Amino acid sequence: PRWGFGGGLTEDGKFLVIHVSEGTDPKNRFFYRDVSNKDSEVVELLSDADASYDFAFIAVSIQYLVQPVEVFRDLARVLRGGGSVVVATSHRCFPTKAIRAFHEMPPADRLQLIAQYFRLTDEFDDPEILDRSPASGDPLWLVAARRK
């Protein structure tokens, strides 16, 4: 298809986030709208941000992405060469919102899946998986890679 799109509400239900792409154009676009305000307008995010950032962070929300490779491609688009992406994840999620893989796969396999998202873009160096879990409490795993 010529056009692709996806969308969803933020966890707090306040914003609608929309992803739009044309064919295989690497410059996918993201939009948001404040749904708590009926008069709010749709705002485009990162429209002219090609190679503008040195760092991006995905904080415990990777399990909700239904088009993760497209998101990682867009991260590559907005990062400068050598810029980093860090994905933080744990074992917690909203079961009705997380993709099936995060319900069915053990943690080590989920981390490898996240690393594969980086690899599938062919825009990042080999990702590194780090365990930063505290001695007691919820686990904290990081998957990090640099933009080629």
Side-chain angles (χ1 to χ4, degrees), residues 66-106:
V66 294
Q67 294 181 316
V69 176
E70 288 81 358
V71 171
F72 279 69
R73 283 190 183 118
D74 218 42
L75 286 168
R77 178 182 66 83
V78 300
L79 284 175
R80 292 182 180 105
S84 297
V85 175
V86 175
V87 178
T89 189
S90 190
H91 69 297
R92 294 183 181 248
C93 69
F94 291 102
T96 59
K97 296 179 181 181
I99 64 169
R100 183 179 306 180
F102 280 81
H103 291 284
E104 297 178 356
M105 299 172 101

Side-chain angles (χ1 to χ4, degrees), residues 8 15 18 34 52-53 83 98 116 124 134 141:
F15 295 98
I18 304 164
D34 181 349
S52 298
Y53 294 90
Q116 186 65 9
F124 292 93
W141 301 292

Side-chain angles (χ1 to χ4, degrees), residues 10-145:
T10 55
E11 288 182 24
D12 62 6
K14 187 174 178 182
F15 295 98
L16 172 65
V17 179
I18 304 164
H19 167 258
V20 180
S21 62
E22 183 176 2
T24 58
D25 182 359
K27 294 186 179 187
N28 299 319
R29 298 292 182 235
F30 289 89
F31 302 85
Y32 78 93
R33 180 176 181 271
D34 181 349
V35 294
S36 66
N37 176 356
K38 68 180 180 80
D39 296 322
S40 71
E41 299 198 13
V42 174
V43 177
E44 186 171 7
L45 295 173
L46 303 176
S47 62
D48 296 317
D50 294 357
S52 298
Y53 294 90
D54 295 315
F55 181 77
F57 183 65
I58 299 176
V60 292
S61 58
I62 190 76
Q63 65 270 27
Y64 306 115
L65 296 179
V66 294
Q67 294 181 316
V69 176
E70 288 81 358
V71 171
F72 279 69
R73 283 190 183 118
D74 218 42
L75 286 168
R77 178 182 66 83
V78 300
L79 284 175
R80 292 182 180 105
S84 297
V85 175
V86 175
V87 178
T89 189
S90 190
H91 69 297
R92 294 183 181 248
C93 69
F94 291 102
T96 59
K97 296 179 181 181
I99 64 169
R100 183 179 306 180
F102 280 81
H103 291 284
E104 297 178 356
M105 299 172 101
D109 291 349
R110 292 193 307 259
L111 297 171
Q112 287 300 323
L113 177 64
I114 296 167
Q116 186 65 9
Y117 296 158
F118 282 108
R119 291 183 193 105
L120 288 171
T121 68
D122 199 34
E123 298 287 343
F124 292 93
D125 292 335
D126 199 38
E128 181 179 9
I129 297 172
L130 306 164
D131 186 343
R132 295 296 186 253
S133 302
S136 63
D138 291 340
L140 175 63
W141 301 292
L142 305 174
V143 183

